[in-house]
């Protein structure tokens, strides 16, 4: 997960060298990343279901190989269609196998409820460490091997992770033991149907959409935004590194706090603080200090929503089908990510400015905070087929 999220975090560093060499617009590159996020979200319920039924090790192994293939295809893409295939479709599916949904599902089944926030927060911290390491590593690879060589090296490292999958002792959960003896879950189809009728499930989904929009836009377009404002390239790289570094602390802290406080209130606070940080960053004069402060604060709030949201889904619906149900919630996140990445490039090409996208991200953050506050976080009592009849 650290490698998967790390490589995903640095793909914005390839935007300018690739578009300049191929003569593509930023919207072309942004569309490929947007499709990656969309495919990531669309595939997540499916790969989560496979992990629930077959175990996560197999899904992780397939994802590692696909990730390597996608990065290699991206390196040799000579047309926008090839870029969309490699960067968009293949890596999108690979991420659904190697990142949040599958890994958090495994950990949710492995840990008791009292320690679940700690475990998810720790996993998120490892993901943040991967992001932090990937930034200087990718920059060094681009300097020494060029952007094509950098993509091939990253793809090779990711594909080698298939050797680690057999070491994972993950077992799919069967029967009612995943929840509690007195409240066994129904079939997968029935559980999904009941979740889709639950108001709080949709509030989580819509709120997570704002998270995806904000993070995908910033991760993909912050380097270009800073360069457009006259900042040196080193500052853009350092900003992403600061986000990744502080994310290690922030994600762990959010997961740990989720064991103590109600997740819906923590999520409301995260969205409000993140939105305030973006508003101040846009309004204040740009400087190295403002970039470092913004990235530091944003990093503390970066991926903290993921373990909190996963824990809230587990609290509501149990862990037997957590991969599938969190995958459906994560689909909302990735729909937002699609819009954030693509609109960033589209709006810039149309207006030569990112201002409208920043305003949209701020507005969505406020909406997300309002959506999480009224969530009913009491565990759901499943309706079995016999009760339904």
């Amino acid at each position: 997960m650290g490698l998967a999220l790390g490589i995903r975090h640095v793909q914005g560093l390839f935007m300018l060298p690739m578009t300049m060499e191929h003569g593509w617009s930023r919207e072309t590159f942004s569309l490929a990343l947007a499709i990656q996020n969309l495919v990531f979200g669309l595939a997540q319920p499916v790969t989560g279901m496979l992990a629930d039924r077959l175990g996560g090790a197999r899904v992780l192994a397939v994802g590692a190989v696909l990730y390597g293939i996608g990065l290699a295809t991206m390196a040799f893409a000579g047309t926008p269609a090839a870029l969309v295939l490699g960067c968009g479709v293949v890596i999108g599916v690979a991420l659904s196998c190697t990142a949040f949904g599958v890994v958090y599902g495994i950990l949710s089944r492995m840990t008791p409820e009292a320690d679940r926030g700690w475990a998810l927060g720790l996993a998120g911290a490892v993901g943040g460490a991967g992001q932090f390491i990937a930034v200087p590593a990718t920059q060094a690879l681009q300097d020494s091997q060029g952007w094509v060589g950098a993509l091939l090296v990253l793809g090779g490292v990711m594909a080698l992770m298939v050797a680690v999958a057999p070491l994972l002792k993950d077992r799919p959960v069967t029967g009612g033991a995943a929840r509690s003896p007195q409240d066994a879950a129904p079939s997968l189809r029935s559980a999904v149907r009941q979740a889709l009728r639950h108001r709080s499930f949709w509030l989580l989904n819509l709120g997570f959409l704002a998270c995806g929009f904000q993070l995908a836009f910033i991760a993909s377009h912050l380097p270009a935004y800073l360069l457009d404002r006259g900042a040196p390239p080193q500052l853009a790289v350092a900003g992403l590194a600061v986000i990744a570094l502080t994310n290690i602390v922030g994600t762990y802290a959010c997961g740990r706090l989720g064991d103590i406080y109600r997740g819906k209130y923590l999520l409301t606070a995260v969205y409000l603080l993140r939105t305030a940080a973006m508003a101040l960053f846009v309004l204040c004069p740009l400087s190295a200090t403002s970039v470092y402060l913004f990235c530091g604060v944003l990093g503390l709030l970066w991926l903290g929503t993921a373990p909190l949201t996963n824990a809230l889904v587990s609290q509501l619906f149990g862990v037997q089908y957590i991969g599938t149900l969190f995958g459906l919630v994560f689909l909302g996140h990735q729909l937002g990510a699609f819009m954030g990445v693509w609109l960033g490039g589209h709006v810039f090409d149309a207006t030569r400015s990112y201002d409208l996208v920043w305003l949209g991200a701020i507005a969505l953050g406020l909406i997300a905070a309002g959506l999480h506050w009224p969530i009913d976080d009491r565990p759901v009592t499943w309706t079995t087929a016999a009760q339904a009849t």
Side-chain angles (χ1 to χ4, degrees):
M1 181 163 138
L3 276 173
L5 294 180
I7 295 172
R8 181 189 183 215
H9 186 64
V10 297
Q11 289 182 51
L13 296 177
F14 292 93
M15 177 183 291
L16 294 183
M18 287 190 70
T19 54
M20 291 175 64
E21 180 161 330
H22 290 294
W24 297 335
S25 67
R26 291 189 193 182
E27 184 178 3
T28 298
F29 190 90
S30 298
L31 179 61
L33 284 182
I35 290 175
Q36 177 191 113
N37 282 283
L38 184 61
V39 172
F40 184 4
L42 291 171
Q44 189 68 86
V46 178
T47 54
M49 179 188 66
L50 292 173
D52 287 339
R53 290 185 168 180
L54 305 176
R58 298 176 184 177
V59 177
L60 288 170
V62 171
V65 174
L66 287 176
Y67 216 133
I69 293 173
L71 289 168
T73 304
M74 184 177 172
F76 295 116
T79 64
L83 179 66
V84 167
L85 175 63
C87 178
V89 178
V90 179
I91 295 180
V93 174
L95 279 165
S96 75
C97 297
T98 54
F100 304 106
V102 172
V103 174
Y104 281 169
I106 293 170
L107 292 174
S108 294
R109 287 189 290 266
M110 287 173 58
T111 55
E113 185 174 355
D115 297 326
R116 193 169 295 146
W118 166 81
L120 298 179
L122 183 60
V126 173
Q131 292 178 326
F132 175 68
I133 295 169
V135 174
T138 301
Q139 189 63 46
L141 285 171
Q142 286 184 337
D143 292 341
S144 62
Q145 306 295 325
W147 64 268
V148 173
L151 285 170
L152 293 176
V153 171
L154 293 174
V157 171
M158 193 70 217
L160 288 175
M161 287 298 101
V162 70
V164 179
L167 303 177
L168 180 62
K169 303 302 180 183
D170 175 49
R171 296 290 183 271
V173 176
T174 57
R179 192 172 174 89
S180 64
Q182 68 272 20
D183 191 19
S187 66
L188 174 61
R189 178 178 297 180
S190 178
V192 170
R193 189 183 305 117
Q194 292 180 55
L196 291 176
R197 291 200 297 262
H198 198 282
R199 176 173 174 267
S200 294
F201 184 85
W202 287 105
L203 291 176
L204 276 173
N205 210 310
L206 293 171
F208 222 15
L209 183 147
C211 179
F213 186 99
Q214 292 174 331
L215 300 195
F217 164 64
I218 292 171
S220 300
H221 293 279
L222 182 62
Y225 172 78
L226 294 177
L227 291 174
D228 291 340
R229 299 286 300 274
Q234 295 81 3
L235 183 59
V237 174
L240 291 179
V242 169
I243 289 175
L245 181 62
T246 52
N247 176 57
I248 299 172
V249 178
T251 304
Y252 177 77
C254 285
R256 199 70 184 92
L257 288 171
D259 288 333
I260 305 172
Y261 303 103
R262 295 173 72 177
K264 68 174 190 174
Y265 296 141
L266 292 172
L267 285 165
T268 300
V270 166
Y271 285 113
L272 287 175
L273 291 172
R274 188 194 289 169
T275 300
M278 288 189 293
L280 288 173
F281 178 64
V282 173
L283 292 173
C284 292
L286 184 69
S287 66
T289 301
S290 70
V291 171
Y292 289 136
L293 286 174
F294 170 67
C295 292
V297 172
L298 201 68
L300 291 173
L301 308 167
W302 190 253
L303 290 179
T305 56
L308 289 174
T309 302
N310 185 277
L312 200 50
V313 174
S314 300
Q315 179 181 332
L316 283 166
F317 304 107
V319 298
Q320 181 168 349
Y321 303 126
I322 183 61
T324 306
L325 296 178
F326 179 72
L328 290 170
V329 173
F330 192 72
L331 175 58
H333 185 281
Q334 293 309 107
L335 289 173
F338 171 85
M339 292 187 290
V341 176
W342 175 70
L343 280 175
H346 178 73
V347 170
F348 179 86
D349 285 344
T351 67
R352 312 311 297 176
S353 170
Y354 287 111
D355 289 349
L356 291 176
V357 192
W358 282 112
L359 291 174
I362 291 169
L364 284 174
L366 295 174
I367 293 171
L371 289 172
H372 281 85
W373 189 267
I375 285 176
D376 181 358
D377 55 3
R378 293 172 296 179
V380 170
T381 300
W382 296 113
T383 302
T384 63
Q387 291 170 326
T389 57

mmCIF file of all heavy atoms in Angstrom, residues 149-170:
data_model
loop_
_atom_site.group_PDB
_atom_site.id
_atom_site.type_symbol
_atom_site.label_atom_id
_atom_site.label_comp_id
_atom_site.label_asym_id
_atom_site.label_seq_id
_atom_site.Cartn_x
_atom_site.Cartn_y
_atom_site.Cartn_z
ATOM 1 N N GLY A 149 12.651 6.621 -17.984
ATOM 2 C CA GLY A 149 13.358 5.684 -17.116
ATOM 3 C C GLY A 149 12.775 5.640 -15.718
ATOM 4 O O GLY A 149 12.693 4.570 -15.099
ATOM 5 N N ALA A 150 12.347 6.798 -15.222
ATOM 6 C CA ALA A 150 11.768 6.842 -13.885
ATOM 7 C C ALA A 150 10.492 6.000 -13.813
ATOM 8 O O ALA A 150 10.285 5.238 -12.857
ATOM 9 C CB ALA A 150 11.467 8.287 -13.500
ATOM 10 N N LEU A 151 9.651 6.113 -14.834
ATOM 11 C CA LEU A 151 8.422 5.321 -14.847
ATOM 12 C C LEU A 151 8.720 3.822 -14.918
ATOM 13 O O LEU A 151 8.058 3.014 -14.254
ATOM 14 C CB LEU A 151 7.551 5.734 -16.034
ATOM 15 C CG LEU A 151 6.802 7.063 -15.903
ATOM 16 C CD1 LEU A 151 6.179 7.466 -17.239
ATOM 17 C CD2 LEU A 151 5.721 6.980 -14.829
ATOM 18 N N LEU A 152 9.723 3.442 -15.704
ATOM 19 C CA LEU A 152 10.053 2.022 -15.828
ATOM 20 C C LEU A 152 10.611 1.456 -14.526
ATOM 21 O O LEU A 152 10.290 0.321 -14.146
ATOM 22 C CB LEU A 152 11.056 1.821 -16.966
ATOM 23 C CG LEU A 152 10.528 2.109 -18.375
ATOM 24 C CD1 LEU A 152 11.643 1.965 -19.403
ATOM 25 C CD2 LEU A 152 9.363 1.180 -18.718
ATOM 26 N N VAL A 153 11.448 2.228 -13.841
ATOM 27 C CA VAL A 153 11.986 1.760 -12.563
ATOM 28 C C VAL A 153 10.869 1.600 -11.541
ATOM 29 O O VAL A 153 10.780 0.583 -10.836
ATOM 30 C CB VAL A 153 13.070 2.732 -12.042
ATOM 31 C CG1 VAL A 153 13.468 2.358 -10.615
ATOM 32 C CG2 VAL A 153 14.284 2.705 -12.951
ATOM 33 N N LEU A 154 9.990 2.589 -11.455
ATOM 34 C CA LEU A 154 8.867 2.502 -10.516
ATOM 35 C C LEU A 154 7.966 1.307 -10.847
ATOM 36 O O LEU A 154 7.499 0.593 -9.947
ATOM 37 C CB LEU A 154 8.055 3.789 -10.548
ATOM 38 C CG LEU A 154 8.754 5.047 -10.006
ATOM 39 C CD1 LEU A 154 7.874 6.273 -10.230
ATOM 40 C CD2 LEU A 154 9.078 4.899 -8.529
ATOM 41 N N GLY A 155 7.743 1.079 -12.142
ATOM 42 C CA GLY A 155 6.921 -0.061 -12.541
ATOM 43 C C GLY A 155 7.554 -1.383 -12.179
ATOM 44 O O GLY A 155 6.867 -2.318 -11.725
ATOM 45 N N GLY A 156 8.875 -1.495 -12.359
ATOM 46 C CA GLY A 156 9.564 -2.727 -12.003
ATOM 47 C C GLY A 156 9.517 -3.015 -10.511
ATOM 48 O O GLY A 156 9.277 -4.155 -10.088
ATOM 49 N N VAL A 157 9.718 -1.977 -9.709
ATOM 50 C CA VAL A 157 9.660 -2.152 -8.253
ATOM 51 C C VAL A 157 8.264 -2.585 -7.813
ATOM 52 O O VAL A 157 8.092 -3.478 -6.974
ATOM 53 C CB VAL A 157 10.076 -0.846 -7.541
ATOM 54 C CG1 VAL A 157 9.813 -0.948 -6.047
ATOM 55 C CG2 VAL A 157 11.547 -0.546 -7.806
ATOM 56 N N MET A 158 7.246 -1.968 -8.395
ATOM 57 C CA MET A 158 5.880 -2.312 -8.019
ATOM 58 C C MET A 158 5.552 -3.745 -8.406
ATOM 59 O O MET A 158 4.937 -4.489 -7.615
ATOM 60 C CB MET A 158 4.908 -1.335 -8.695
ATOM 61 C CG MET A 158 3.495 -1.399 -8.141
ATOM 62 S SD MET A 158 3.383 -0.747 -6.464
ATOM 63 C CE MET A 158 2.177 -1.866 -5.761
ATOM 64 N N ALA A 159 5.965 -4.157 -9.590
ATOM 65 C CA ALA A 159 5.670 -5.517 -10.035
ATOM 66 C C ALA A 159 6.362 -6.558 -9.163
ATOM 67 O O ALA A 159 5.836 -7.659 -8.956
ATOM 68 C CB ALA A 159 6.084 -5.690 -11.502
ATOM 69 N N LEU A 160 7.529 -6.229 -8.624
ATOM 70 C CA LEU A 160 8.245 -7.174 -7.762
ATOM 71 C C LEU A 160 7.501 -7.455 -6.466
ATOM 72 O O LEU A 160 7.767 -8.465 -5.796
ATOM 73 C CB LEU A 160 9.646 -6.638 -7.454
ATOM 74 C CG LEU A 160 10.657 -6.675 -8.608
ATOM 75 C CD1 LEU A 160 11.957 -5.993 -8.192
ATOM 76 C CD2 LEU A 160 10.929 -8.120 -9.042
ATOM 77 N N MET A 161 6.577 -6.586 -6.110
ATOM 78 C CA MET A 161 5.822 -6.790 -4.875
ATOM 79 C C MET A 161 4.933 -8.025 -4.928
ATOM 80 O O MET A 161 4.408 -8.467 -3.906
ATOM 81 C CB MET A 161 4.974 -5.563 -4.566
ATOM 82 C CG MET A 161 5.746 -4.360 -4.067
ATOM 83 S SD MET A 161 6.628 -4.658 -2.501
ATOM 84 C CE MET A 161 8.299 -4.933 -3.114
ATOM 85 N N VAL A 162 4.770 -8.606 -6.112
ATOM 86 C CA VAL A 162 3.987 -9.835 -6.209
ATOM 87 C C VAL A 162 4.623 -10.937 -5.373
ATOM 88 O O VAL A 162 3.939 -11.849 -4.884
ATOM 89 C CB VAL A 162 3.849 -10.262 -7.687
ATOM 90 C CG1 VAL A 162 5.184 -10.742 -8.248
ATOM 91 C CG2 VAL A 162 2.787 -11.337 -7.846
ATOM 92 N N ALA A 163 5.953 -10.871 -5.161
ATOM 93 C CA ALA A 163 6.629 -11.886 -4.370
ATOM 94 C C ALA A 163 6.258 -11.821 -2.889
ATOM 95 O O ALA A 163 6.427 -12.787 -2.149
ATOM 96 C CB ALA A 163 8.150 -11.737 -4.525
ATOM 97 N N VAL A 164 5.748 -10.673 -2.438
ATOM 98 C CA VAL A 164 5.404 -10.507 -1.028
ATOM 99 C C VAL A 164 4.013 -11.047 -0.717
ATOM 100 O O VAL A 164 3.729 -11.457 0.414
ATOM 101 C CB VAL A 164 5.496 -9.011 -0.641
ATOM 102 C CG1 VAL A 164 5.128 -8.792 0.826
ATOM 103 C CG2 VAL A 164 6.895 -8.482 -0.918
ATOM 104 N N ALA A 165 3.144 -11.080 -1.719
ATOM 105 C CA ALA A 165 1.750 -11.458 -1.488
ATOM 106 C C ALA A 165 1.591 -12.826 -0.819
ATOM 107 O O ALA A 165 0.754 -12.967 0.091
ATOM 108 C CB ALA A 165 0.975 -11.399 -2.803
ATOM 109 N N PRO A 166 2.362 -13.868 -1.214
ATOM 110 C CA PRO A 166 2.166 -15.170 -0.560
ATOM 111 C C PRO A 166 2.465 -15.166 0.933
ATOM 112 O O PRO A 166 2.026 -16.072 1.657
ATOM 113 C CB PRO A 166 3.153 -16.082 -1.312
ATOM 114 C CG PRO A 166 3.339 -15.440 -2.639
ATOM 115 C CD PRO A 166 3.286 -13.964 -2.356
ATOM 116 N N LEU A 167 3.212 -14.178 1.420
ATOM 117 C CA LEU A 167 3.532 -14.113 2.843
ATOM 118 C C LEU A 167 2.367 -13.607 3.675
ATOM 119 O O LEU A 167 2.382 -13.734 4.904
ATOM 120 C CB LEU A 167 4.746 -13.200 3.064
ATOM 121 C CG LEU A 167 6.028 -13.579 2.319
ATOM 122 C CD1 LEU A 167 7.104 -12.541 2.583
ATOM 123 C CD2 LEU A 167 6.503 -14.961 2.747
ATOM 124 N N LEU A 168 1.373 -13.032 3.020
ATOM 125 C CA LEU A 168 0.237 -12.453 3.736
ATOM 126 C C LEU A 168 -0.735 -13.548 4.147
ATOM 127 O O LEU A 168 -1.284 -14.244 3.298
ATOM 128 C CB LEU A 168 -0.476 -11.421 2.861
ATOM 129 C CG LEU A 168 -1.694 -10.730 3.471
ATOM 130 C CD1 LEU A 168 -1.292 -9.930 4.695
ATOM 131 C CD2 LEU A 168 -2.367 -9.830 2.454
ATOM 132 N N LYS A 169 -0.938 -13.692 5.449
ATOM 133 C CA LYS A 169 -1.827 -14.742 5.973
ATOM 134 C C LYS A 169 -3.243 -14.189 6.139
ATOM 135 O O LYS A 169 -3.776 -14.086 7.236
ATOM 136 C CB LYS A 169 -1.298 -15.257 7.309
ATOM 137 C CG LYS A 169 0.124 -15.785 7.254
ATOM 138 C CD LYS A 169 0.270 -16.915 6.234
ATOM 139 C CE LYS A 169 1.710 -17.429 6.215
ATOM 140 N NZ LYS A 169 1.894 -18.474 5.173
ATOM 141 N N ASP A 170 -3.834 -13.825 5.011
ATOM 142 C CA ASP A 170 -5.199 -13.302 5.040
ATOM 143 C C ASP A 170 -6.162 -14.425 4.738
ATOM 144 O O ASP A 170 -5.927 -15.245 3.854
ATOM 145 C CB ASP A 170 -5.348 -12.183 4.002
ATOM 146 C CG ASP A 170 -6.775 -11.695 3.918
ATOM 147 O OD1 ASP A 170 -7.355 -11.414 4.981
ATOM 148 O OD2 ASP A 170 -7.308 -11.611 2.799
#
